[in-house]
Amino acid sequence: MEIYFFILFATLAVASAVGMILSRDTVNSALFLVLNLVSVAGIFLLLKAQFLAVIQVLVYGGAIMVLFLFVIMLLNLNSEENMLSRFSVKYAVAFFLGVIILSMLVYAIASATGTLPYISPEMEQVGTVEALGDALYTTYMLPVLATAVLLTAAVVGAILLAQRKYRKVK
Amino acid sequence: MIELDWYLGLSAVLFTIGVIGVLTRKNAIVIFMCAELMLNSVNLTLVSFSAQLGDVHGQILVFFSLCVAAAEAAVGLAIIIAIFRNHLTVDITKINLLRW
């Protein structure tokens, strides 16, 4: 049963990722990315990371992608006339870089996974909100506070950047 | 049960698609979304290792990377809006702000 779900979600994720970089319309790209994020959330569920699956759909699929769609529609972008770059050299470079990166990753995975344990007994308790919250608010207290500062700084920076009029700096 | 290799392989494929998208597309917003795709595939790697090792720390790392992705999306989209105001395009082949 699990393997069928994995095949379903993996196919959906890869297909939507390919659709994202191939679609001509930016809005379609964003919607394909939403589909990709949701299917990755399904894979998180298969890995028993329930909390992260919910967070993935809420934060990524909800908040961030709404932001993207908002900006796309605010800028009123029409679809690109020639979607890919002009230079055909660029295709070749991208293709070779992609092949090299993929083969490096596959090699790293193949050489590393031989030593890993097949399944861990504590896995059932790991992905719950209790376990994550316990670690977050004890061991990772300082990083959580730093995240709060980071997000505040990001919001302030975004507001300053997107303001219509800049105050002149002497 | 599914082997760990399959999750890691899926993550590698998604990452590679993201890289190809960043290298070939011209629209700055689509390039941003490809960066999000790469972040997402790394998150998948972290979660699968975390599940395999029975360790919560990988998932904590995913939590923080989500926060960084949110901050990055906010600031990056604001930069794109600012560039669009000045140049009326988000085509990266027509923007030469950082070219000397």
Side-chain angles (χ1 to χ4, degrees):
Chain A
M1 194 62 196
E2 200 180 341
I3 192 113
Y4 296 122
F5 272 115
F6 177 76
I7 291 169
L8 171 71
F9 285 134
T11 317
L12 212 57
V14 173
S16 58
V18 171
M20 185 190 93
I21 68 167
L22 287 185
S23 71
R24 212 162 266 276
D25 194 356
T26 317
V27 177
N28 284 349
S29 271
L31 293 176
F32 270 126
L33 186 54
V34 171
L35 181 60
N36 181 276
L37 294 171
V38 170
S39 49
V40 171
I43 292 174
F44 282 0
L45 272 183
L46 285 183
L47 287 164
K48 304 273 196 306
Q50 303 95 332
F51 178 65
L52 282 180
V54 173
I55 285 292
Q56 173 96 357
V57 174
L58 279 181
V59 175
Y60 250 133
I64 295 182
M65 290 320 295
V66 165
L67 196 63
F68 269 99
L69 277 178
F70 173 71
V71 170
I72 290 166
M73 293 183 172
L74 177 77
L75 300 187
N76 197 14
L77 298 171
N78 32 18
S79 52
E80 307 165 51
E81 312 88 36
N82 49 347
M83 184 178 66
L84 299 168
S85 306
R86 283 166 297 179
F87 309 111
S88 60
V89 179
K90 211 169 167 185
Y91 291 127
V93 171
F95 179 74
F96 281 118
L97 272 180
V99 168
I100 288 168
I101 288 173
L102 182 64
S103 52
M104 268 165 57
L105 289 171
V106 167
Y107 176 74
I109 290 161
S111 61
T113 47
T115 56
L116 283 168
Y118 175 60
I119 192 83
S120 110
E122 312 97 60
M123 204 176 99
E124 296 287 331
Q125 286 90 24
V126 160
T128 55
V129 187
E130 287 88 354
L132 272 177
D134 191 37
L136 267 181
Y137 290 107
T138 54
T139 321
Y140 292 94
M141 195 65 225
L142 189 63
V144 169
L145 295 178
T147 307
V149 175
L150 171 78
L151 286 174
T152 314
V155 168
V156 172
I159 291 172
L160 280 178
L161 275 170
Q163 258 181 351
R164 194 162 282 276
K165 288 204 173 133
Y166 297 103
R167 195 179 300 148
K168 290 282 180 217
V169 182
K170 278 189 279 187
Chain B
M1 265 330 275
I2 307 150
E3 297 271 357
L4 178 62
D5 305 27
W6 289 99
Y7 292 110
L8 298 181
L10 172 66
S11 162
V13 169
L14 288 181
F15 190 90
T16 310
I17 293 172
V19 169
I20 292 173
V22 166
L23 289 174
T24 52
R25 290 300 299 261
K26 297 201 302 185
N27 191 326
I29 293 177
V30 179
I31 289 173
F32 245 97
M33 290 196 289
C34 290
E36 299 284 336
L37 185 68
M38 288 194 277
L39 278 170
N40 200 41
S41 79
V42 173
N43 286 350
L44 178 59
T45 312
L46 286 172
V47 171
S48 58
F49 272 119
S50 161
Q52 208 72 20
L53 300 172
D55 194 358
V56 79
H57 295 87
Q59 301 193 8
I60 300 278
L61 210 54
V62 172
F63 183 81
F64 288 121
S65 106
L66 266 173
C67 290
V68 172
E72 174 235 326
V75 175
L77 288 172
I79 289 173
I80 288 177
I81 290 179
I83 288 176
F84 185 79
R85 286 237 176 84
N86 290 325
H87 294 257
L88 291 179
T89 180
V90 289
D91 187 341
I92 56 157
T93 57
K94 294 189 182 115
I95 300 167
N96 52 6
L97 283 172
L98 296 179
R99 190 171 289 171
W100 70 86

